[in-house]
Amino acid sequence: MKCRKCGGTAVLELRRHNVAFCAPDFLEFFRRQVNEAVRRHRMFTRDESLLVAVSGGKDSLALWDVLLEEGYSATGLYLDLGIFDYSRESRAKCEAFAAGRGAPLRIVSVEQEVGAAIPEVRAATRRPTCSACGLSKRYLMNKAALEHGFPVVATGHNLDDEAATLFGSVLHWQTEPLARQSPALPSTHPKLVRRVKPLYRLSELETAAYAFLRGIDYIVEECPFAKGATSLLHKDILNRLEDASPGAKHNFLYGFLEKGRAAFEQASPVELNECVRCGQVTTGTLCAFCKLADQVKRSR
Ligand code: AMP
Ligand code: FES
Ligand code: ZN
């Protein structure tokens, strides 16, 4: 196998693009895809300070790495979920990465903010764990960005994540999530910062290869509560489709973004208020995060 770019020995074949690359040209390809995502969706400018949500996994650390390499001012944000060894190890990976690059890292403890760590939140609510956890993460990312003056939060969601989320929403025709699914969510309220996903054009395999070639030490284990999650089943189904027909995943996602999404965008945007307790944005009076914190308190 030869590198499409230089003719040298290729280390990676990307079947969906029908190309193979040597290590330096693959890294170049990866950076180009990130830059293309940023440009196409006007995610941020060179003058803006970015807050990068890092979980300690390959995707978010790869993202932080590319953004730093590209010369952006990028601060990491790690949310400590308090999930036993998984959180301890993933936090250590983020800290080691930050120290190695001399990059700033902020750490926020879910236990301090919600009143309990995720295992206890899990026991206190009847929601699926990842739903309470996802809600807390989105809330705390936005809060941290607002408090420290970051106009935008970047997450490490990749092509596989986005295609699996889309697949799940389509299976149930969930029109609200379909309207919101985008690589770049604009700020629709002064207290809501932009959210962007600069890796949406890169597959999980590609981010893993990037992290490996860049010598990034990341946590390989999944969150222990993710086992059996339907998102993993959806990823598996899409991977089988991709095997049989390379490009299936990206055609599915890009096709939706280009041709389908507009049909789901609400004609009249939902009205946003500020939560009577914490002041963050909500469609009601008390936000979902404050309700969750109350539920946790009551269960004690
Ligand atoms: P996940 O929902 O676990 O697939 O993660 C998607 C993205 O959310 C990651 O790529 C990160 O950018 C961000 N993220 C997930 N967990 C954390 C965490 N504990 N702290 C900060 N960011 C996170
Ligand atoms: Fe949230 Fe697993 S990361 S429950
Ligand atoms: Zn609130």
Side-chain angles (χ1 to χ4, degrees):
M1 233 179 6
K2 290 210 163 118
C3 171
R4 146 86 69 93
K5 213 66 193 292
C6 70
T9 307
V11 294
L12 198 74
E13 185 187 14
L14 307 181
R15 285 176 67 212
R16 71 198 170 89
H17 291 295
N18 199 19
V19 293
F21 289 119
C22 67
D25 286 323
F26 170 70
L27 294 176
E28 179 55 30
F29 160 85
F30 194 93
R31 287 188 203 109
R32 255 203 336 269
Q33 291 294 326
V34 173
N35 286 326
E36 174 63 15
V38 172
R39 191 192 61 76
R40 211 178 254 254
H41 296 275
R42 297 196 182 95
M43 292 184 174
F44 37 74
T45 64
R46 296 232 156 242
D47 313 325
E48 289 180 307
S49 295
L50 319 177
L51 188 63
V52 187
V54 286
S55 64
K58 60 184 182 327
D59 304 300
S60 48
L61 289 182
L63 172 62
W64 198 8
D65 184 78
V66 185
L67 295 175
L68 291 170
E69 285 289 299
E70 290 291 304
Y72 286 101
S73 149
T75 296
L77 170 70
Y78 175 75
L79 302 170
D80 189 340
L81 306 167
I83 307 179
F84 320 119
D85 283 351
Y86 169 72
S87 288
R88 273 189 287 279
E89 283 168 32
S90 53
R91 175 178 174 153
K93 302 288 184 201
C94 294
E95 287 173 332
F97 181 96
R101 304 292 199 281
L105 173 67
R106 296 194 160 272
I107 297 182
V108 170
S109 151
V110 166
E111 184 168 10
Q112 263 172 28
E113 298 282 333
V114 188
I118 290 296
E120 198 186 323
V121 174
R122 183 169 186 255
T125 66
R126 266 169 282 143
R127 287 162 161 271
T129 310
C130 286
S131 131
C133 174
L135 161 88
S136 309
K137 284 188 212 167
R138 283 190 300 277
Y139 178 95
L140 294 172
M141 284 176 196
N142 190 66
K143 184 169 180 241
L146 278 180
E147 278 176 5
H148 302 287
F150 293 95
V152 55
V153 175
T155 56
H157 292 94
N158 59 36
L159 175 60
D160 296 54
D161 297 325
E162 292 300 280
T165 301
L166 175 61
F167 189 66
S169 304
V170 166
L171 279 181
H172 302 283
W173 292 112
Q174 290 165 322
T175 51
E176 274 178 37
L178 285 169
R180 273 199 313 271
Q181 171 138 16
S182 169
L185 287 172
S187 163
T188 50
H189 186 280
K191 286 199 161 176
L192 215 49
V193 303
R194 257 145 55 217
R195 271 193 291 144
V196 297
K197 302 164 183 170
L199 298 186
Y200 84 94
R201 306 175 69 81
L202 292 150
S203 72
E204 206 154 301
L205 181 87
E206 289 153 17
T207 60
Y210 179 90
F212 174 75
L213 292 171
R214 292 280 302 154
I216 296 171
D217 185 19
Y218 61 86
I219 182 155
V220 177
E221 290 89 70
E222 290 270 356
C223 158
F225 297 137
K227 282 194 193 80
T230 44
S231 60
L232 296 182
L233 172 64
H234 295 160
K235 278 191 177 173
D236 186 43
I237 292 168
L238 290 170
N239 281 337
R240 277 156 47 197
L241 278 174
E242 182 76 21
D243 257 357
S245 141
K249 247 184 275 190
H250 101 205
N251 290 338
F252 178 52
L253 180 68
Y254 295 9
F256 169 75
L257 294 174
E258 280 158 28
K259 301 176 204 160
R261 183 170 175 264
F264 295 94
E265 275 176 312
Q266 274 108 354
S268 51
V270 281
E271 193 194 318
L272 295 175
N273 314 311
E274 289 181 19
C275 169
V276 289
R277 183 174 315 154
C278 72
Q280 283 229 58
V281 170
T282 173
T283 49
T285 44
L286 191 67
C287 78
F289 181 85
C290 287
K291 283 184 192 158
L292 180 69
D294 280 351
Q295 202 176 353
V296 169
K297 217 178 280 165
R298 276 199 305 272
S299 75
R300 287 197 146 168

